[in-house]
Amino acid sequence: MDDDATAATTATVRPSGDPNGEALTPRAADLARLRTRGSEPGAGPRGDGKNWRDRLVELAETTDGSAHDDGIGILEPVDRVATFGPAILAIRWGTTVASIALATQDIAHPRWLLVAWSVVIVTYTVLRTARPIRYYGDVRSLLFVIGEVALHVAALLSTGYWESPFILTLVTAISVAGFARGFGFGLRIGIVSALAVSLPYLMEDPSEARIVDSGQWTLVLLMVALIAGYARRISGEADRQHSLALDRLGRLADANALLFSLHRVTQTLPASLDLDDVLDTTIGRLKGLFDFDTAVILAFDDTDGNWQVLRREGVGRMASRVLDQDLPPPLRRAILDETVINVPSLPEAGCAGLTPKASSGLYAVLSARGSTIGLIAIEDSEERHFTARDAELLQGFVEPVALAIDNARWFARLRTVGADEERSRIARDLHDRIGQSLAYLAFELDRIVTRYDSGEALDGALEQLRDDVRGVIREVRDTLYDLRTDVTDSQDLAATLEAYVARVRERSGLTIDLYCDRTARLPLLQEREMWRIAQEALANVERHAQATAVRILWRCNGESAALEVTDNGQGFPIGRAGRLDSYGILGMRERASSIGATLEITSQLGKGTRVRCSLIRSAPAGESARAVGVSG
């Protein structure tokens, strides 16, 4: 066999003859090459193409079942008998001491031969005490195991076969063979050793006594081999389970750290709907999870298809926008693969990062609503700075970050829309109430000026004008007060409604009955939207319904709630959408939808209108949803 066949190799080999297609260790690769060569023409002088060196290597590699099943040494070379070192040492010294004691009493053979073998046995025992046999599954360690067996067989052949005082030392050698490769190998070694001693012993004198002695010692050696092999199997299985448990524990520890980090991310990132707060929290969490020099968060701009720099950390100067064609290759690849890209060395990859000083980096996309909304890049000036675990951690980190950023951006847009809507409502209020009053005052002033030019008395007109001006001032004050009135942590919806209803009664003369629950509250955001709906409904009654009486109901149990405003006014046809919009009903529906409530409006010409807003909690599985009862 060529020297290359036995040389160690660092790369895994996948031979074509491997039916499972699994990567092999270097030693298994050597064996695979040997088997492949055996099928080549002219591979060797024998029919199977194997010479004695090939067979020796195959003997070292071939398993007997136990050596494969226990999983020892498959992934990396380990000393397979190290676990049994104390037991081997005790057996070795016990059999040596017993053999020397027997040798001092044996006078059937020349004393010089017993003395010589005694010295050899003791010397070998001392040597193996200082340097125990190690078995790694290779040819060299196999030769040491076989050599020890051969040494003790030679001692028996030289000093009386089965009648030798050194017969117990062969037990140690058979035990080592069983511990090294399992009971199959131990049985083969035991049988060969027993034959090597029994054949010349019986050829010298085939008496019945010698046959019995040979059979008994053969059984003893086989029992030793079986016990050693079985002990090795049990120990190997325990070691394998221990290794698997440690590996599983390590993976669980990594998963626990990752889940803990993601839990902290999900707790902090979505807590705010302000984009600046979300970005500050994201950078803070990145600093806690990774060690980096620079970090950049980009957002996709739908208007021009380029990227806006939302936040940068550790970058002195950088353009506020990055063109799509100017993105570095790692970010482009992250967009295509939709995963985290770990570049250990940007110079070796022949590409640049997002910042000039970057030598390694992690690049990921921020995905939400099924599309890419942004990018995140963390880079460091040191090559191979980020590990595979860092990439895995970032992969779990980007999802909540993307959702938080997307929510904050949408909330900013909705807040802009809401501000526009609120400005429109304020303008409508000013137009409907203060604007008309000011227009009336202007007409009155023109009329007074005309009467003054004609020489008429102005006392009564001026007195009326003064009262009108006071009325306008009162309307301005009420309007501003209504705009400032809101539900707060210290003032619930019931108290806010009471104060507002009192002002409406005073200025409109309406008969208003108010019934409110005060035992529980909704979250502040939901109560505020409910309050704005009630305010809009009552304002519609005051301005448009021509009603004389109103009833307001507020029911709340802390989870579900219902608001109802009923008047006895003129009513309106529900199908006229333009009229609905002019009364602010569209705004009420949007407010109800924003908190998951439903708005129901019932109206009939000449009989009045009822506005009901219901917020019903979701019922658990198997339980019927129970709405809050509102009396009709």
Side-chain angles (χ1 to χ4, degrees):
M1 187 177 67
D2 297 337
D3 294 337
D4 294 340
T6 57
T9 174
T10 58
T12 58
V13 180
R14 192 182 301 274
S16 59
D18 181 14
N20 297 324
E22 298 177 351
L24 303 178
T25 60
R27 293 183 288 101
D30 290 338
L31 179 58
R33 285 195 293 268
L34 287 174
R35 291 172 177 170
T36 303
R37 289 188 58 187
S39 61
E40 298 174 357
R46 299 180 58 176
D48 57 2
K50 299 178 182 178
N51 54 31
W52 66 272
R53 292 183 61 187
D54 296 342
R55 291 184 172 279
L56 187 59
V57 172
E58 186 174 352
L59 179 62
E61 298 294 342
T62 301
T63 62
D64 56 17
S66 61
H68 174 72
D69 293 339
D70 61 17
I72 300 177
I74 293 178
L75 299 180
E76 60 181 8
V78 295
D79 182 8
R80 301 183 182 180
V81 297
T83 305
F84 310 100
I88 293 175
L89 184 62
I91 295 173
R92 188 182 301 280
W93 275 105
T95 56
T96 299
V97 170
S99 297
I100 297 302
L102 292 174
T104 58
Q105 299 176 2
D106 193 343
I107 58 174
H109 300 85
R111 188 171 297 275
W112 65 267
L113 192 56
L114 292 176
V115 172
W117 274 110
S118 297
V119 172
V120 171
I121 296 298
V122 172
T123 302
Y124 186 79
T125 301
V126 173
L127 174 64
R128 286 307 173 202
T129 301
R131 298 184 60 182
I133 283 184
R134 293 180 172 85
Y135 185 77
Y136 298 103
D138 55 2
V139 175
R140 185 171 181 272
S141 55
L142 177 64
L143 291 177
F144 278 114
V145 173
I146 297 177
E148 178 168 345
V149 176
L151 174 67
H152 292 89
V153 169
L156 266 65
L157 294 176
S158 303
T159 57
Y161 307 108
W162 294 122
E163 298 175 358
S164 170
F166 303 115
I167 190 172
L168 295 178
T169 59
L170 187 57
V171 172
T172 304
I174 301 300
S175 300
V176 172
F179 288 144
R181 293 186 55 83
F183 57 79
F185 181 75
L187 287 175
R188 291 195 292 268
I189 292 296
I191 292 174
V192 172
S193 302
L195 291 176
V197 177
S198 298
L199 290 178
Y201 183 56
L202 295 177
M203 290 176 62
E204 183 179 283
D205 181 13
S207 62
E208 182 179 353
R210 289 199 171 193
I211 294 175
V212 173
D213 289 343
S214 298
Q216 290 177 344
W217 282 110
T218 299
L219 290 176
V220 169
L221 295 182
L222 294 181
M223 287 297 298
V224 169
L226 285 173
I227 293 172
Y230 188 69
R232 180 187 185 280
R233 175 182 284 268
I234 295 176
S235 176
E237 180 65 23
D239 288 343
R240 187 176 68 87
Q241 294 295 335
H242 180 67
S243 299
L244 292 176
L246 290 179
D247 180 68
R248 195 175 295 114
L249 182 62
R251 292 179 178 272
L252 288 176
D254 290 342
N256 180 264
L258 177 60
L259 290 174
F260 177 73
S261 299
L262 293 181
H263 174 68
R264 295 186 61 184
V265 169
T266 54
Q267 279 187 321
T268 56
L269 289 180
S272 173
L273 289 177
D274 182 77
L275 184 58
D276 289 334
D277 290 344
V278 171
L279 294 174
D280 290 340
T281 304
T282 300
I283 293 296
R285 293 299 302 135
L286 283 175
K287 290 181 179 179
L289 294 175
F290 308 99
D291 179 22
F292 58 85
D293 290 336
T294 60
V296 180
I297 301 176
L298 306 171
F300 183 70
D301 192 340
D302 298 325
T303 59
D304 58 5
N306 294 318
W307 302 88
Q308 177 187 0
V309 179
L310 295 181
R311 188 58 54 90
R312 61 181 184 270
E313 181 73 18
V315 184
R317 292 183 179 180
M318 187 176 184
S320 60
R321 302 183 70 81
V322 179
L323 300 180
D324 188 66
Q325 59 268 25
D326 293 337
L327 288 177
L331 279 178
R332 291 176 173 275
R333 183 181 168 193
I335 296 173
L336 293 176
D337 296 347
E338 296 184 351
T339 185
V340 174
I341 301 300
N342 182 7
V343 184
S345 176
L346 289 168
E348 291 181 5
C351 60
L354 199 58
T355 55
K357 62 180 181 180
S359 297
S360 61
L362 293 175
Y363 306 89
V365 296
L366 301 175
S367 299
R369 297 173 287 105
S371 61
T372 298
I373 65 158
L375 302 170
I376 185 170
I378 57 176
E379 298 176 334
D380 196 86
S381 58
E382 178 185 1
E383 293 187 8
R384 294 171 178 82
H385 181 76
F386 301 104
T387 64
R389 186 178 182 276
D390 291 332
E392 182 181 355
L393 189 60
L394 184 62
Q395 182 68 52
F397 178 82
V398 293
E399 183 175 356
V401 170
L403 292 176
I405 292 177
D406 193 49
N407 289 342
R409 295 179 72 192
W410 276 107
F411 183 75
R413 297 172 186 174
L414 292 176
R415 186 166 51 187
T416 301
V417 174
D420 292 340
E421 180 186 344
E422 196 67 16
R423 282 194 293 268
S424 300
R425 188 179 70 85
I426 294 173
R428 185 182 68 236
D429 289 343
L430 294 176
H431 176 270
D432 291 346
R433 298 175 61 178
I434 301 175
Q436 293 179 5
S437 299
L438 291 176
Y440 167 75
L441 291 178
F443 287 127
E444 283 296 307
L445 285 173
D446 290 340
R447 188 172 64 83
I448 291 174
V449 170
T450 302
R451 292 178 62 184
Y452 174 77
D453 291 340
S454 61
E456 297 181 15
L458 302 177
D459 294 344
L462 291 176
E463 186 70 22
Q464 181 63 39
L465 180 62
R466 183 181 63 182
D467 293 340
D468 291 338
V469 170
R470 288 176 177 173
V472 171
I473 293 174
R474 184 169 55 252
E475 287 184 5
V476 172
R477 184 172 59 249
D478 289 343
T479 300
L480 294 177
Y481 192 84
D482 291 346
L483 292 174
R484 289 196 302 266
T485 302
D486 203 352
V487 177
T488 64
D489 291 328
S490 58
Q491 179 171 294
D492 60 4
L493 178 59
T496 305
L497 276 173
E498 284 182 348
Y500 182 67
V501 164
R503 294 196 304 273
V504 173
R505 283 197 191 105
E506 180 182 355
R507 70 184 181 222
S508 66
L510 286 169
T511 301
I512 304 177
D513 297 326
L514 178 63
Y515 305 93
C516 294
D517 284 341
R518 298 179 177 274
T519 57
R521 294 191 63 177
L522 291 177
L524 187 59
L525 177 61
Q526 293 179 335
E527 276 199 3
R528 282 178 174 171
E529 296 303 321
M530 284 285 197
W531 150 245
R532 292 301 178 188
I533 292 172
Q535 185 183 30
E536 184 68 33
L538 193 54
N540 286 338
V541 174
E542 183 182 1
R543 298 170 193 168
H544 310 292
Q546 300 180 9
T548 60
V550 183
R551 183 182 62 183
I552 303 176
L553 301 177
W554 168 245
R555 296 288 183 260
C556 178
N557 63 5
E559 294 181 346
S560 302
L563 171 72
E564 185 178 291
V565 180
T566 306
D567 66 78
N568 63 349
Q570 62 181 350
F572 58 87
I574 295 297
R576 294 176 57 184
R579 191 174 182 85
L580 293 180
D581 292 347
S582 66
Y583 287 166
I585 297 178
L586 181 60
M588 287 192 288
R589 291 192 185 279
E590 291 177 350
R591 290 185 183 278
S593 177
S594 68
I595 59 174
T598 58
L599 188 73
E600 178 187 357
I601 299 176
T602 305
S603 183
Q604 188 174 357
L605 287 173
K607 294 187 178 181
T609 303
R610 183 180 66 184
V611 177
R612 173 180 290 176
C613 183
S614 303
L615 179 65
I616 309 298
R617 71 178 179 91
S618 299
E623 179 184 338
S624 300
R626 292 174 297 181
V628 177
V630 178
S631 174

